[in-house]
Amino acid sequence: MGIVAGLDSSPDFTRIVVCDSDTGAVLRQGYAAHPLETAEGGGRPADVDPQAWLLSLGEAAGGGLLEGVQAIGVSAQQNALVPMDNQGNTVRPAMVGGDKRAQAAAADLIDRLGSREAWAEAVGSVPQSAQPVTKLRWLARTEPENARRVALLMQAHDWLVWQLLGRPSRRTTDRGGASGTGYWSAASGSWRPDLVELALGQQAMLPEVLGPGDAAGTTPEGLIISAGTGETMAAAFGLGVQTGDAVVSLGASGSVMAVHHEALVDSSGAITSLADATGMHLPVVHTLNAVRALRGTAEMLGLDGGLEELSELAMKSTPGSHGLVLLPYLEGEKTPNLPHTAGTLSGLRRESMRPEHLARAAFEGMLCALADAMDVLRGRGVEIRRVFLLGAAAELHAVQAAAPMLFGTQVVVPQPADYAAIGAARQAAWALSGQLPLWQGAAAQVFEPGEELPVGQAVRQQYRAVREQIHPGAFA
């Protein structure tokens, strides 16, 4: 039996799992929070010293956790830009997360290349404030002296792999991490140094892009370090998603990603074309409103029990919510592209003006909006036969009851686990053995649409009719 480890360095903490390389069974686990100062006004800081990631890694691996481990894989937060100088030192703290400071820089980049369509065709995505390419533009405009010192660009998992290997002259990354930068094309599988220069004002070195099963190197002690990847790609790999599968993530906002055999170029920018950790592709469609629509409804109804109580209340209604339809565009919307709109509650009649119908309409509105996002992918030839539903809201009865009929597919709700760390460990097993490890999939509840499928189609048609009435041609 081989033993491998996967570490996930998220925005807040490091989790480590130690696994049997043949079966994927988790043998040991470790955890440590990053030693980060709270940002002004609360929340996460936009700038982070990468040493904080190393400190929490060391703490999480304490107590002999890695004893006997033969290979390590690294998953880390995406969109973290680590700018380095010629000596291998950080020019400034890493820029992490969705950096609101860079919103103007995103618009500037779109103008500089000519259009949203030009960016979509170049790298499969349109600049957004979180992307490293946009943070580079912000750096050039706001901190020009720091920008001039930048000689090498890395991301969080690149930097951690490099540190684990003892800071060698060779710097590496993987397709998954590279595909989120805004200066690597998933379609051509190559860097776009011209876009780095467009953003930064000068050239900078970029890491070597490794194949999915490649090793980044071996430590002097003989420990293999695999290529590493971003959290999204590692979680998909840990879940065991494959062609025909989609992953729907229920956070405050939502996302739908699916495994596909080719990169999708979408001139509208609705689809972000990412690469996965296996050599395939992960086209992603985002919505701005998911669980925030549920929380808003619970607050409006004065429910002290939050989402659980909202779910119980919704189950007292029936599919279609007695004609009540909520378009949950509370923060504007990205899919469809309605950035300045607001939500709409339609179908108010005396018999529908009851708390349980509004509660049900919130769940149906959220899930219909995500089904719309799913249809964007299906419209481009992406096959979706099964949906993995992630996030705490996936455990709610109202979600589990409505999702299969509205998505029109089998819905899988995995048991909570550290899937990004598990995916990193699976990548380590691949680098160790030279073969893609066939680990058992995630333990999960499975829900089928069954006889409710026609009911779900009717609910979606009701939702679609209201959407077209309020926002005609939104998906044209």
Side-chain angles (χ1 to χ4, degrees), residues 290-352:
V291 175
R292 64 164 43 97
L294 303 183
R295 295 199 185 282
T297 304
E299 290 172 8
M300 187 164 69
L301 290 172
L303 303 181
D304 295 333
L307 297 188
E308 288 285 352
E309 188 176 356
L310 185 72
S311 174
E312 293 172 9
L313 186 61
M315 294 306 296
K316 296 177 181 178
S317 181
T318 54
S321 310
H322 275 239
L324 210 57
V325 174
L326 175 66
L327 301 183
Y329 305 155
L330 308 184
E331 300 288 330
E333 189 47 78
K334 178 175 172 58
T335 307
N337 186 27
L338 300 167
H340 306 299
T341 193
T344 302
L345 185 62
S346 178
L348 284 170
R349 298 179 184 275
R350 180 63 190 89
E351 62 270 19
S352 66

Side-chain angles (χ1 to χ4, degrees), residues 229-264:
T229 195
E231 273 190 316
T232 296
M233 299 79 189
F237 197 35
L239 282 167
V241 300
Q242 52 196 315
T243 303
D245 291 338
V247 178
V248 173
S249 181
L250 300 176
S253 55
S255 67
V256 180
M257 67 178 179
V259 180
H260 197 49
H261 64 277
E262 63 181 352
L264 296 178

Side-chain angles (χ1 to χ4, degrees), residues 75-155:
S75 157
Q77 59 181 300
Q78 289 159 235
N79 298 319
L81 176 67
V82 186
M84 314 282 290
D85 64 18
N86 279 316
Q87 284 71 48
N89 300 313
T90 52
V91 168
R92 69 180 312 284
M95 301 173 68
V96 300
D99 199 330
K100 293 183 178 180
R101 298 173 300 182
Q103 288 175 344
D108 183 32
L109 282 174
I110 293 170
D111 289 343
R112 288 173 68 84
L113 196 61
S115 65
R116 294 169 58 88
E117 292 77 11
W119 276 100
E121 290 173 8
V123 291
S125 64
V126 177
Q128 301 169 21
S129 61
Q131 284 183 302
V133 70
T134 307
K135 291 168 179 170
L136 278 182
R137 187 63 193 151
W138 178 89
L139 191 65
R141 293 176 58 175
T142 312
E143 300 178 3
E145 291 187 10
N146 282 335
R148 282 191 287 271
R149 294 173 53 212
V150 174
L152 169 70
L153 300 175
M154 302 182 85
Q155 295 183 85

Side-chain angles (χ1 to χ4, degrees), residues 319-320 360-372 374-375 378 387 398-409 411 448-449 452-464:
R360 177 90 189 194
F363 283 97
E364 291 180 344
M366 175 188 74
L367 293 170
C368 282
L370 287 162
D372 280 349
M374 207 176 297
D375 284 347
R378 284 178 166 141
V387 171
V399 170
Q400 295 175 353
M405 73 170 83
L406 296 177
F407 293 162
T409 64
V411 169
E448 302 283 355
E452 295 291 311
L453 185 56
V455 177
Q457 291 172 335
V459 173
R460 283 212 62 199
Q461 181 54 42
Q462 175 179 272
Y463 179 90
R464 193 178 295 116

Side-chain angles (χ1 to χ4, degrees), residues 62-82:
L65 184 77
L66 300 180
E67 185 176 344
V69 167
Q70 297 161 278
I72 293 179
V74 177
S75 157
Q77 59 181 300
Q78 289 159 235
N79 298 319
L81 176 67
V82 186

